[in-house]
């Protein structure tokens, strides 16, 4: 059975990405693996905080995102029988590429935020990183529907 890896970050495009992936899975008979990558907490973010607070915050964040991921999987399973979730911590692009390889994904489907060139230059674009490093086809769902030309 083919696998569609669907990395999600719970931004505005997440629901559209999930819908599109479900439609594709239905048409191709593929299974869906929803992936959420939690960014690692940096020393700058935790400066002055005790290790106990850092651990509690990290665990709370993992629980909340785990519930969100489970809810999204529940919605997807209404139309696609084979839906699985994976939650990792780390850098998004390497984690996505590693998961795609591990699962032997036939496709990766993710969202584009459309921040712009300056933002992407400073922070990097997950979609661009995945497009550059993937060994399977990558589908990028835009945050807004494309405007039609007249």
């Amino acid at each position: 059975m083919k696998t569609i890896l669907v990395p999600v970050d719970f931004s505005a495009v997440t629901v559209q990405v999930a819908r599109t992936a479900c439609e594709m899975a239905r048409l191709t008979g593929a299974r869906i693996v929803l992936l959420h990558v939690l960014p690692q907490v940096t020393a700058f973010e935790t400066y002055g905080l005790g290790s106990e607070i850092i651990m509690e915050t990290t665990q709370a964040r993992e629980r909340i995102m785990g519930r969100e991921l489970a809810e999204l999987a529940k919605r997807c399973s209404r139309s696609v029988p084979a839906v699985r979730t994976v939650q990792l911590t780390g850098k998004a692009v390497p984690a996505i590429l590693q998961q795609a390889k591990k699962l032997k994904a036939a496709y990766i489907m993710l969202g584009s935020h459309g921040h712009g060139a300056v933002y992407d230059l400073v922070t990097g674009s997950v979609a661009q990183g995945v497009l550059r490093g993937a060994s399977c086809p990558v589908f990028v769902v835009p945050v807004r529907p494309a405007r039609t030309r007249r």
Side-chain angles (χ1 to χ4, degrees):
M1 176 181 276
K2 290 183 179 183
T3 299
I4 301 172
L5 179 62
V6 186
V8 295
D9 62 0
F10 301 105
S11 65
V13 75
T14 295
V15 172
Q16 183 62 38
V17 171
R19 278 190 200 132
T20 305
C22 287
E23 186 176 325
M24 184 177 202
R26 230 178 31 257
L27 293 171
T28 62
R31 72 180 176 144
I32 291 179
V33 176
L34 297 168
L35 169 66
H36 179 69
V37 181
L38 290 160
Q40 289 179 316
V41 179
T42 66
F44 178 74
E45 293 170 315
T46 60
Y47 180 76
L49 300 176
S51 61
E52 189 174 305
I53 292 172
I54 295 167
M55 188 183 311
E56 287 174 13
T57 303
T58 301
Q59 290 171 346
R61 189 174 64 152
E62 288 172 354
R63 280 192 307 275
I64 291 167
M65 292 296 103
R67 284 195 298 264
E68 292 289 325
L69 199 56
E71 180 59 36
L72 188 59
K74 185 178 172 182
R75 281 191 241 155
C76 287
S77 65
R78 292 178 191 147
S79 60
V80 178
V83 179
R84 210 177 112 208
T85 63
V86 176
Q87 184 170 301
L88 302 172
T89 301
K91 293 185 178 187
V93 173
I96 293 166
L97 295 174
Q98 185 177 35
Q99 232 8 250
K101 186 175 182 179
K102 179 181 175 184
L103 297 168
K104 297 179 179 143
Y107 312 103
I108 300 172
M109 184 170 297
L110 47 72
S112 169
H113 293 176
H115 289 299
V118 174
Y119 180 88
D120 290 346
L121 180 65
V122 174
T123 65
S125 165
V126 172
Q128 285 178 359
V130 171
L131 281 165
R132 285 188 185 118
S135 58
C136 64
V138 178
F139 296 88
V140 181
V141 179
V143 72
R144 294 175 210 96
R147 293 183 181 192
T148 57
R149 292 185 180 185
R150 293 184 182 193

